[in-house]
């Protein structure tokens, strides 16, 4: 590491640690260490080193490397944030790297991209349930069926008049588009697959076999039930995803929208009976092994399990973000209201997370002066305008 970077790090009052894993050309797992900090010339982000972690991927091993790195560079007392990907070994609030680092450095809040966190909420809320994984595997295969053949794609354009988006493993907004499209074009897709089966002489064996399987899926109760369930869940998730991707919204606004999303997901419990009954009308009652016993109770349990998993993931993934409400203290759009009513809740958030780093009474006075100064400046500027503009 260059001497200039060492000097910058030594002078920085606070630092954030970023770790990310990648695989090099020799197929070895490399962990990158990056420090982010503020200097007199602005925010700096410095890559420091790679470290081979091929045989050391447990949370205990990575946390020990992170703490050793911070100790080596004199940053143990200066770390205020840690930023990793959303993998359980890194992000888990119980036994992940971030939790183990916080045991040693409590003020090191874990920060993760809001939109990526929502992607993980949805994906982790699904993969824990076998039936959901099977459903999304079928759905992904449905999209791939058309992308592999120009002839099939042309048929899709002619009959459905809409392409099926491909699914990306970490981008659940793409899965949302696919669910929405299949839900909307379900009858047209049935016609398409029926056409392939009926005109079998025009297609190869693989296409006929797949078309027959997808035609069966589209008429299957379980597939239809999950399609309706996730179509409604994603309708709420898409709205939240767009908000979290928008850089113009402040953190408190985003967290409020996350809370509203949870209320909507909780409210989906009341939608079960209608989803179940409408699916029965469309496909008939569950058949096969699901036809024995109380199928309604079985699917209600699955439905509740999906909602519980999503709600639990939201609580886990956004837990630390609630501690960042103090960022609104420096939101210029709120300064006018802050001058009238000092933001005690946001200031309490700062006190809880980073109180020892500040002279809190002095900081509160300086913030109050700043809010008041900006209001006076705005009034002065308004009075300096020509009378006609001032009246407008």
């Amino acid at each position: 590491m260059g001497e200039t970077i060492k000097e910058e790090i030594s002078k920085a009052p606070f630092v954030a640690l970023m770790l990310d894993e990648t695989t090099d050309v020799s197929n070895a797992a490399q962990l990158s260490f990056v420090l982010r900090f503020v200097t007199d010339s602005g925010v700096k982000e410095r890559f420091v080193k790679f470290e081979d972690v091929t045989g050391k991927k447990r949370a205990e091993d990575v946390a020990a490397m992170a703490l050793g790195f911070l100790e080596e560079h004199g940053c143990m007392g200066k770390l205020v944030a840690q930023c990793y990907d959303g993998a359980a070994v890194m992000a888990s609030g119980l036994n992940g790297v971030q939790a183990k680092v916080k045991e040693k450095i409590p003020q090191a809040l874990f920060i993760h991209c809001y939109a990526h966190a929502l992607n993980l909420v949805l994906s982790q809320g699904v993969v824990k349930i076998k039936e959901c994984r099977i459903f999304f595997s079928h759905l992904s295969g449905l999209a791939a069926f058309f992308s592999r053949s120009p002839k099939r794609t042309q048929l899709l354009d002619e009959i459905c008049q809409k392409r099926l988006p491909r699914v990306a493993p970490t981008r659940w907004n793409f899965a949302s588009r696919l669910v929405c499209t299949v839900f909307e074009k379900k009858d047209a897709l049935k016609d398409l697959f029926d056409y392939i089966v009926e005109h079998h002489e025009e297609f190869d064996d693989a296409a006929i076999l797949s078309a027959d399987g997808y035609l069966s899926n589209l008429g299957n109760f379980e597939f239809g039930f999950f399609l309706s369930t996730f179509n409604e869940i994603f309708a709420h998730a898409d709205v939240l995803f767009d908000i979290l991707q928008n850089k113009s919204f402040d953190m408190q606004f985003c967290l409020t929208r996350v809370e509203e999303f949870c209320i909507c997901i909780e409210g989906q419990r009341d939608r079960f009976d209608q989803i179940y009954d409408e699916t029965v009308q469309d496909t008939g009652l569950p058949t096969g092994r699901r036809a024995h016993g109380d199928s309604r109770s079985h699917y209600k349990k699955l439905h509740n399990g999906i909602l519980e998993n999503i709600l639990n993931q939201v609580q886990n993934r956004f837990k630390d973000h609630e501690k960042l409400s103090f960022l609104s203290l420096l939101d210029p759009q709120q300064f006018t209201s802050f001058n009238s009513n000092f933001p005690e809740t946001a200031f309490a958030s700062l006190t809880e997370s980073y109180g020892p780093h500040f002279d809190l009474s002095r900081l509160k006075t300086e913030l109050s002066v700043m809010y008041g100064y900006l209001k006076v400046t705005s009034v002065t500027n308004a009075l300096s305008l020509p009378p006609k503009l001032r009246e407008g």
Side-chain angles (χ1 to χ4, degrees):
M1 182 172 63
E3 292 301 319
T4 302
I5 298 177
K6 285 183 179 179
E7 185 177 351
E8 286 178 343
I9 293 172
S10 67
K11 290 182 178 180
F14 313 113
V15 299
L17 173 66
M18 295 187 287
L19 303 178
D20 196 17
E21 183 191 324
T22 187
T23 303
D24 64 18
V25 291
S26 65
N27 211 31
Q30 300 282 350
L31 189 67
S32 63
F33 289 75
V34 176
L35 287 173
R36 184 179 173 89
F37 49 88
V38 178
T39 67
D40 292 340
S41 58
V43 176
K44 297 292 178 67
E45 198 169 283
R46 300 297 194 191
F47 165 77
V48 180
K49 68 171 183 176
F50 278 119
E51 187 158 335
D52 191 331
V53 292
T54 304
K56 300 175 287 186
K57 292 191 175 183
R58 295 186 311 159
E60 294 83 356
D61 298 328
V62 178
M65 281 187 279
L67 291 168
F69 171 80
L70 293 167
E71 184 75 49
E72 178 186 352
H73 295 91
C75 295
M76 289 289 284
K78 300 194 293 186
L79 186 70
V80 294
Q82 42 182 330
C83 189
Y84 319 130
D85 66 20
V89 70
M90 303 297 287
S92 172
L94 296 175
N95 298 305
V97 172
Q98 65 111 344
K100 295 184 180 300
V101 170
K102 285 176 74 174
E103 288 176 3
K104 300 290 184 181
I105 313 172
Q107 74 272 18
L109 297 183
F110 173 61
I111 311 299
H112 193 198
C113 166
Y114 272 12
H116 192 192
L118 180 60
N119 275 318
L120 290 165
V121 162
L122 298 172
S123 62
Q124 295 300 312
V126 165
V127 298
K128 296 180 182 296
I129 300 176
K130 178 188 67 176
E131 291 87 347
C132 292
R133 293 199 69 177
I134 293 171
F135 166 74
F136 279 102
S137 295
H138 285 313
L139 203 65
S140 181
L142 190 65
F145 174 80
F146 294 102
S147 66
R148 298 191 188 110
S149 167
K151 183 178 180 179
R152 299 174 201 169
T153 301
Q154 182 181 359
L155 195 61
L156 181 68
D157 291 340
E158 291 173 359
I159 296 179
C160 294
Q161 300 178 345
K162 192 171 186 178
R163 299 279 178 96
L164 299 184
R166 295 290 298 273
V167 175
T170 58
R171 299 291 298 276
W172 275 78
N173 55 319
F174 283 88
S176 168
R177 295 175 196 172
L178 181 56
V179 166
C180 180
T181 303
V182 173
F183 182 85
E184 177 189 348
K185 297 293 183 179
K186 185 178 176 181
D187 291 336
L189 285 167
K190 285 181 181 179
D191 293 340
L192 186 154
F193 290 124
D194 189 57
Y195 177 91
I196 293 176
V197 172
E198 291 299 320
H199 296 78
H200 54 87
E201 68 280 357
E202 301 177 17
F203 300 90
D204 58 36
D205 290 345
I208 296 167
L209 181 63
S210 295
D212 186 56
Y214 290 130
L215 189 59
S216 176
N217 278 337
L218 289 169
N220 174 269
F221 175 88
E222 188 160 296
F223 186 91
F225 176 79
F226 285 127
L227 186 66
S228 296
T229 296
F230 284 105
N231 184 59
E232 295 199 5
I233 289 173
F234 284 141
H236 299 296
D238 286 349
V239 173
L240 180 60
F241 187 85
D242 289 341
I243 289 171
L244 298 184
Q245 287 281 72
N246 193 322
K247 295 181 180 180
S248 66
F249 295 131
D250 64 74
M251 184 165 295
Q252 191 55 53
F253 179 86
C254 291
L255 289 175
T256 300
R257 301 293 83 78
V258 170
E259 291 175 6
E260 291 174 354
F261 171 73
C262 289
I263 293 171
C264 291
I265 295 301
E266 189 67 47
Q268 283 295 304
R269 296 183 193 277
D270 298 331
R271 292 281 302 142
F272 167 76
D273 286 329
Q274 184 170 346
I275 291 173
Y276 185 91
D277 291 339
E278 288 178 352
T279 307
V280 168
Q281 290 177 7
D282 184 44
T283 67
L285 287 166
T287 57
R289 56 194 174 90
R290 299 298 181 213
H292 303 290
D294 188 350
S295 60
R296 181 180 285 269
S297 296
H298 170 76
Y299 283 101
K300 186 167 187 176
K301 183 177 179 181
L302 277 176
H303 189 260
N304 284 334
I306 293 168
L307 302 180
E308 284 292 339
N309 282 347
I310 290 175
L311 290 169
N312 288 338
Q313 285 292 322
V314 169
Q315 185 178 17
N316 184 43
R317 299 284 176 182
F318 289 92
K319 180 171 56 179
D320 258 8
H321 292 78
E322 295 175 357
K323 297 179 181 179
L324 299 176
S325 62
F326 62 81
L327 293 176
S328 63
L329 291 169
L330 297 179
D331 180 1
Q333 295 181 354
Q334 302 191 58
F335 283 180
T336 301
S337 63
F338 287 169
N339 182 57
S340 303
N341 297 290
F342 188 84
E344 296 289 354
T345 302
F347 194 78
S349 166
L350 178 68
T351 302
E352 180 184 355
S353 297
Y354 297 124
H357 292 287
F358 294 95
D359 180 338
L360 293 170
S361 59
R362 179 179 176 182
L363 176 61
K364 188 171 185 178
T365 300
E366 290 177 348
L367 288 172
S368 298
V369 170
M370 180 177 69
Y371 301 150
Y373 172 77
L374 288 172
K375 180 180 180 181
V376 171
T377 302
S378 299
V379 172
T380 303
N381 290 339
L383 291 173
S384 65
L385 293 171
K388 288 186 178 179
L389 291 179
R390 201 185 311 158
E391 292 169 6

